Amino acid sequence: MDQIVDKGMFTNGPAVKELEAALEIFTGAKHCIAVGNATDALIIMLRAAGIGPGDEVIVPCYSFFATASCVDHVGARPVFSDIDPVTYSLNATDIEAKITKRTKAIMPVHLFTQLADMAAIREIADRHSLMVLEDSAEAISMFCEGKHAGLLGDAGVISFFPTKTLGAIGDGGLVLTNDGHIAAQARRLRIHGQDEHTPYIHHMAGYNSRMDDIQAAVLLVRFGFLQQEIARRAHLAACYDRGLSDLSQVRTPTIRERADAANSVYYVYLIEAERRDDLAAYLTRQGIGTEIYYPYPLHTQPCFAHLGYRPGDMPHAERAAERAIGLPMYPDLTEDQVDEVCRWIHQFYESGG
């Protein structure tokens, strides 16, 4: 940070370039383009890929809001699909029924711990000549047959929000791709539609979405600890699994083993629980933080009412929205603290709440 202040280059400077280069080596991407946040990364990725007015993009209805809002921001229409109840990602069997002549892309989300079923999604996309644009915001260090998340389709994104597996001390995001045209467009879009070497010549109306060098400096340091922190998360998840295995009211995470050998990273330890909201309130009273993922599926959001979806249209997503809750999960968590969380969950159900 001192070096950045001394040099006076605070955005899209040397630290950002160093981070992009390090992530290109780590992920195997030909192009990593750092931007201000992952929501911007999604919007920039879509625009760089040519998604715009009149197009439709198939997205899961159970995800963070930006998964759908980014499609709306570029003038396209989000088409919601139900989720796989195990992985919480796009249900490949539901995608095909949503494809129309306007469909331009499928956007799977790799949610919580594991990749979507990319082999099945890619097969459908190839058969219908569709792009695959990955919301891989949570999927740092998730690989499938040697390919990093975000490179299994045409392009993807990474989020560096502070709670993420690799988090900054503020906002930050990344577009990654092996497609040279998408990369060139993304680099232009992040700085008002201009090329870095020809300022004040704007090829398109872009955005002000440069990454701060201070965020890049933090990420470069934290990047050196990423693998040991991922291993620590896996250990803590195993402790939770053991501590909650005998509760019939709770479903612990299931990692789906697939032929494509996708690997898991415990960004979130998500359970499904009976009387979820009462449990969350009970744990809060004990000083234990939780997070509800996601209480309102995207197809029920007021801003998408004009799309004509109704409650009951997406049963798997709606069930998850009523039952899913994230428990504390971060590398500095101790085994004793995990045991304490599990004891209070046992106490809640044994005492009737």
Side-chain angles (χ1 to χ4, degrees):
M1 289 185 182
D2 287 342
Q3 293 173 7
I4 290 165
V5 172
D6 288 343
K7 291 178 180 177
M9 299 182 70
F10 296 106
T11 60
N12 205 33
V16 172
K17 304 306 181 192
E18 185 180 349
L19 177 67
E20 290 175 335
L23 289 171
E24 285 173 358
I25 294 170
F26 176 72
T27 63
K30 292 180 180 178
H31 309 281
C32 284
I33 302 99
V35 297
N37 57 72
T39 300
D40 283 359
L42 286 166
I43 294 169
I44 288 170
M45 175 184 70
L46 288 171
R47 279 196 62 188
I51 307 297
D55 295 331
E56 293 180 351
V57 179
I58 297 173
V59 300
C61 63
Y62 184 73
S63 181
F64 183 62
F65 179 69
T67 298
S69 67
C70 68
V71 177
D72 191 73
H73 277 302
V74 302
R77 176 189 176 100
V79 175
F80 294 115
S81 184
D82 205 359
I83 59 167
D84 180 304
V86 174
T87 66
Y88 300 100
S89 300
L90 264 178
N91 190 332
T93 61
D94 195 39
I95 293 173
E96 201 128 19
K98 307 298 174 71
I99 295 173
T100 73
K101 62 181 180 180
R102 293 181 178 273
T103 307
K104 189 77 170 285
I106 303 170
M107 190 161 73
V109 181
H110 309 307
L111 210 58
F112 304 132
T113 60
Q114 59 196 307
L115 296 173
D117 188 350
M118 291 302 295
I121 291 169
R122 184 80 257 184
E123 189 276 328
I124 294 168
D126 289 346
R127 188 152 33 86
H128 293 274
S129 300
L130 303 175
M131 302 185 77
V132 175
L133 301 170
E134 300 170 65
D135 183 344
S136 45
E138 300 179 3
I140 186 74
S141 199
M142 290 189 193
F143 289 85
C144 174
E145 296 184 336
K147 291 185 179 181
H148 193 278
L151 302 175
L152 301 165
D154 296 280
V157 305
I158 298 290
S159 173
F160 301 119
F161 187 72
T163 61
K164 292 294 188 288
T165 310
L166 178 60
I169 53 172
D171 278 320
L174 186 86
V175 177
L176 66 163
T177 183
N178 288 327
D179 186 301
H181 174 73
I182 291 176
Q185 295 294 87
R187 288 193 179 95
R188 282 177 168 176
L189 284 163
R190 71 174 169 179
I191 47 172
H192 301 288
Q194 62 186 350
D195 293 326
E196 291 182 15
H197 58 277
T198 55
Y200 301 109
I201 299 175
H202 301 271
H203 303 275
M204 61 185 73
Y207 309 95
N208 180 18
S209 189
R210 296 163 293 190
M211 179 180 279
D212 293 337
D213 272 51
I214 285 177
Q215 302 301 342
V218 170
L219 290 167
L220 282 164
V221 173
R222 290 210 60 211
F223 184 55
F225 299 92
L226 178 62
Q227 294 310 313
Q228 71 185 60
E229 291 193 356
I230 287 174
R232 176 66 179 172
R233 288 171 179 268
H235 171 71
L236 294 170
C239 293
Y240 272 125
D241 288 346
R242 288 192 298 271
L244 299 173
S245 62
D246 60 339
L247 277 177
S248 62
Q249 300 92 337
V250 168
R251 192 188 84 176
T252 55
T254 300
I255 303 300
R256 174 157 285 173
E257 298 296 336
R258 293 194 296 261
D260 57 7
N263 67 308
S264 58
V265 175
Y266 281 89
Y267 161 56
V268 170
Y269 187 85
L270 191 84
I271 64 171
E272 288 194 20
E274 294 179 9
R275 298 177 57 203
R276 188 268 316 274
D277 293 344
D278 290 339
L279 174 62
Y282 183 83
L283 293 176
T284 297
R285 291 196 294 273
Q286 317 312 322
I288 296 169
T290 61
E291 184 73 24
I292 303 299
Y293 296 96
Y294 294 96
Y296 305 103
L298 296 175
H299 70 290
T300 69
Q301 291 290 346
C303 64
F304 296 128
H306 65 284
L307 298 178
Y309 296 95
R310 297 288 183 268
D313 286 347
M314 313 284 174
H316 294 314
E318 290 169 39
R319 176 180 169 82
E322 294 174 352
R323 292 172 52 87
I325 179 173
L327 302 180
M329 172 56 74
Y330 51 93
D332 293 329
L333 196 68
T334 68
E335 290 89 342
D336 287 345
Q337 288 172 322
V338 171
D339 290 343
E340 181 183 353
V341 175
C342 294
R343 283 197 302 272
W344 282 116
I345 294 174
H346 275 267
Q347 176 69 16
F348 172 78
Y349 288 112
E350 290 167 3
S351 66

